[in-house]
Amino acid sequence: MRILTTETVSKIGETVELAGWVANRRDHGKLIFLDLRDRGGIIQMVVTPKSAAYETAGKLRPEWVIRVKGEVKGRPEGMINKDIPTGTVELGVAELEVLNEAQTPPFPIDTDGHDIGEENRLKYRYLDLRRPRVHKNIQIRSEYVQRVREYLFAQGFTEIETPYLTSTTPEGSRDFVVPSRMYPGQFFALPQSPQQYKQLLQVAGFERYFQIARCFRDEDLRADRGFEHTQVDIEMSFVTREEVMQLVEGLMITVVEAMGKTIKQKPFPHFTFKEAVAKYGADKFDMRSEAEKAAGVLAFAWVTDFPFFEKDKEGNWTFTHNPFSMPAPEHLEWHLKGEHIEEITTQQYDLVCNGFEVGGGSIRAHRPDVLKATFKTMGYGEEQIQKEFGHMLEAFSFGAPPHGGIGSGVERMIMILTGEQYLREVQAFPQTAKGHPSVMNAPTLISPERLREFGLKLDEKQIKK
Ligand code: ASP
């Protein structure tokens, strides 16, 4: 039975079997030292000229895949390597089998990789992911998501998946679209968030919903933004703004403290949008001192009372956060009448941490007339409202409970937890800065036959080949 490198420390004197990648080979006179890497970590191994494995060991190159058998030996006091968890032991290799050879990797894997060009790292992402730093980030991400799930299940939430091939759901970005073969010339939109479905699930009586949801947004790429991101997506019925915020605060505190982090201030401080802008000049801000930054402290804060609407480039009113939000109770009359639009605030809340917006949500307009008023303010005519959002208005006419929720970005939280500056360091297969996926070649042209199936014709002049 194969065991992990990290399990060897308690097995001194035993013969064990290990498997993994050759991280390093050093020949010291007659002795051959090998570092073996597996998902647990790294162990030093020694092959002596007396070993049956000696000849094969001499041929090994970095990243070859091997299986070995040998005795775990305690290292003498002076030879202990404090930098690795297996530093107290080494393996005396008795048998060695090569499972696969490897070409020389295009870049080193045993460094932090920050100095290697992004294009190359992502082209060979499966090698880059062997790098301990990146490997660890992905493991931390998995742990975070697991802890979030555990917390929410314990609070009575149901995890529900919602469709990817659907209709537009506005979050202020462009949609990615997918052509339909069954309906030539027509397109699905990939959801910018599960917003509408999670609200429909409240109408359906799932009073506590969550999803680890993928969201697709066709927007300009930045350090902390990709075409795809994952969010912890939550929606709850019969709750006030404060109750949603309390739930999310409990979730964050429990999860990040379990992961060994310190939080600057509990309960999280609250700012109105106006207070935040007056104090920090922005609605996301970093409250940490230099010492707290160095110690990896997390400084969360809530921001509330945002303006509901702002003017877009054409001078028309558009939503600041979410068209499905409920206005503040004291502004509901104005909202329904379309008056004092610039003064209407929404029951939106943003969660800020270390300068990032790590969450945003709101209490929703669960009455059809309130939601309709939002779209009217945005200049939609009756026909357009019915066409784009008639299904929501209809659903709300069948006894929609008051509800609200939040979406909290997984990548941004993992960037904070790991101290990474770029989204690509915390996604297994991120896009390149030029908008291509890792490893694979996309987008690509498709054959004329497929285009015909979709009822599409290309504008040859626009095609970049
Ligand atoms: N739909 C929002 C978003 O994706 C989150 C929410 O309001 O629940 O940002």
Side-chain angles (χ1 to χ4, degrees):
M1 273 291 283
R2 175 206 176 205
I3 66 164
L4 290 179
T5 51
T6 35
E7 293 171 307
T8 54
V9 285
S10 61
K11 296 200 164 18
I12 292 173
E14 291 179 40
T15 294
V16 300
E17 184 177 318
L18 302 175
W21 289 263
V22 175
N24 195 318
R25 189 188 100 200
R26 300 174 301 279
D27 295 358
H28 278 250
K30 294 231 153 72
L31 296 180
I32 299 174
F33 286 93
L34 298 167
D35 286 339
L36 182 77
R37 188 186 68 241
D38 64 13
R39 76 183 152 90
I42 257 180
I43 189 171
Q44 173 169 287
M45 313 195 297
V46 201
V47 195
T48 63
K50 274 192 248 141
S51 164
Y54 192 68
E55 206 189 311
T56 317
K59 293 188 200 137
L60 295 179
R61 317 278 313 155
E63 301 309 313
W64 283 30
V65 189
I66 59 172
R67 195 199 319 266
V68 294
K69 247 190 202 163
E71 192 191 325
V72 182
K73 295 181 178 150
R75 294 204 212 176
E77 193 60 42
M79 307 287 279
I80 288 175
N81 179 352
K82 293 204 176 67
D83 296 336
I84 56 172
T86 61
T88 51
V89 295
E90 63 183 17
L91 191 87
V93 179
E95 290 172 35
L96 190 164
E97 181 191 353
V98 174
L99 301 177
N100 211 347
E101 300 185 2
Q103 287 188 59
T104 305
F107 44 66
I109 285 163
D110 56 357
T111 64
D112 70 18
H114 284 304
D115 54 339
I116 305 167
E118 182 211 67
E119 294 257 329
N120 226 16
R121 281 184 62 199
L122 297 188
K123 179 172 179 207
Y124 299 100
R125 182 59 159 180
Y126 46 87
L127 297 178
D128 192 51
L129 285 168
R130 289 183 191 170
R131 184 182 309 291
R133 174 178 65 90
V134 189
H135 210 85
K136 180 109 187 283
N137 290 349
I138 302 300
Q139 276 166 337
I140 289 173
R141 179 180 176 135
S142 168
E143 182 189 344
Y144 177 80
V145 170
Q146 183 192 346
R147 289 185 186 279
V148 166
R149 276 205 168 94
E150 282 168 1
Y151 186 88
L152 292 173
F153 283 136
Q155 299 284 329
F157 280 78
T158 305
E159 182 172 12
I160 307 176
E161 288 177 88
T162 55
Y164 284 163
L165 293 173
T166 177
S167 138
T168 183
T169 198
E171 295 283 354
S173 296
R174 285 192 182 81
D175 290 328
F176 279 101
V177 295
V178 179
S180 154
R181 177 183 58 80
M182 286 175 75
Y183 299 97
Q186 301 187 35
F187 295 81
F188 296 100
L190 301 181
Q192 293 181 33
S193 83
Q195 183 65 33
Q196 298 186 61
Y197 285 109
K198 69 171 168 175
Q199 291 192 244
L200 294 172
L201 286 168
Q202 301 313 297
V203 182
F206 293 98
E207 295 175 25
R208 293 188 152 210
Y209 140 98
F210 87 97
Q211 175 175 198
I212 308 299
R214 193 76 63 80
C215 302
F216 304 88
R217 299 183 187 179
D218 186 359
E219 55 193 354
D220 295 337
L221 301 168
R222 291 195 221 146
D224 64 340
R225 245 183 216 179
F227 290 154
E228 298 179 37
H229 74 267
T230 303
Q231 66 189 29
V232 179
D233 200 55
I234 291 174
E235 199 74 9
M236 305 161 77
S237 291
F238 307 108
V239 281
T240 59
R241 179 175 85 169
E242 284 63 34
E243 285 168 325
V244 181
M245 289 158 74
Q246 227 170 50
L247 181 281
V248 175
E249 190 162 327
L251 166 74
M252 285 298 174
I253 292 172
T254 306
V255 171
V256 307
E257 287 188 344
M259 294 177 77
K261 293 290 172 181
T262 305
I263 296 173
K264 181 180 165 92
Q265 195 180 333
K266 293 186 291 187
F268 301 166
H270 288 221
F271 300 89
T272 65
F273 173 70
K274 278 192 186 138
E275 286 167 352
V277 171
K279 187 156 183 197
Y280 299 104
D283 58 359
K284 35 181 185 272
F285 41 84
D286 198 338
M287 300 175 300
R288 294 169 304 164
S289 65
E290 289 307 318
E292 285 165 339
K293 282 184 189 169
V297 168
L298 270 55
F300 286 98
W302 287 106
V303 184
T304 57
D305 302 334
F306 290 89
F308 200 145
F309 299 99
E310 64 187 1
K311 288 267 170 86
D312 66 14
K313 283 191 212 105
E314 283 88 49
N316 301 316
W317 290 113
T318 185
F319 57 89
T320 59
H321 280 79
N322 197 317
F324 300 102
S325 296
M326 182 74 112
E330 63 272 25
H331 298 154
L332 185 58
E333 274 312 302
W334 288 349
H335 185 77
L336 290 170
K337 291 188 188 145
E339 293 170 357
H340 303 284
I341 293 173
E342 65 288 347
E343 290 172 60
I344 299 173
T345 58
T346 140
Q347 295 192 44
Q348 165 87 24
Y349 29 81
D350 275 6
L351 182 61
V352 172
C353 182
N354 295 5
F356 289 99
E357 182 196 317
V358 294
S362 62
I363 297 300
R364 323 296 182 186
H366 67 284
R367 271 171 33 196
D369 57 328
V370 181
L371 182 56
K372 222 169 171 176
T374 305
F375 291 117
K376 279 208 179 118
T377 296
M378 287 166 56
Y380 284 39
E382 186 63 31
E383 203 179 318
Q384 192 185 358
I385 295 177
Q386 284 307 328
K387 194 170 147 237
E388 291 182 29
F389 300 104
H391 56 278
M392 295 299 280
L393 296 168
E394 188 173 33
F396 289 174
S397 76
F398 288 108
H403 60 280
I406 196 164
S408 170
V410 169
E411 286 85 2
R412 291 202 185 148
M413 277 309 297
I414 306 304
M415 284 169 69
I416 291 169
L417 291 172
T418 56
E420 295 287 0
Q421 308 289 320
Y422 295 96
L423 186 110
R424 64 166 178 260
E425 306 295 353
V426 300
Q427 266 179 348
F429 295 103
Q431 292 98 41
T432 66
K434 289 186 180 152
H436 299 293
S438 295
V439 188
M440 306 215 201
N441 181 24
T444 53
L445 294 170
I446 57 173
S447 70
E449 295 78 59
R450 296 239 57 206
L451 281 173
R452 232 173 285 129
E453 275 186 340
F454 292 131
L456 300 177
K457 256 203 190 116
L458 299 182
D459 177 355
E460 293 295 331
K461 281 184 285 214
Q462 291 224 37
I463 297 174
K464 294 183 200 148
K465 287 197 177 139

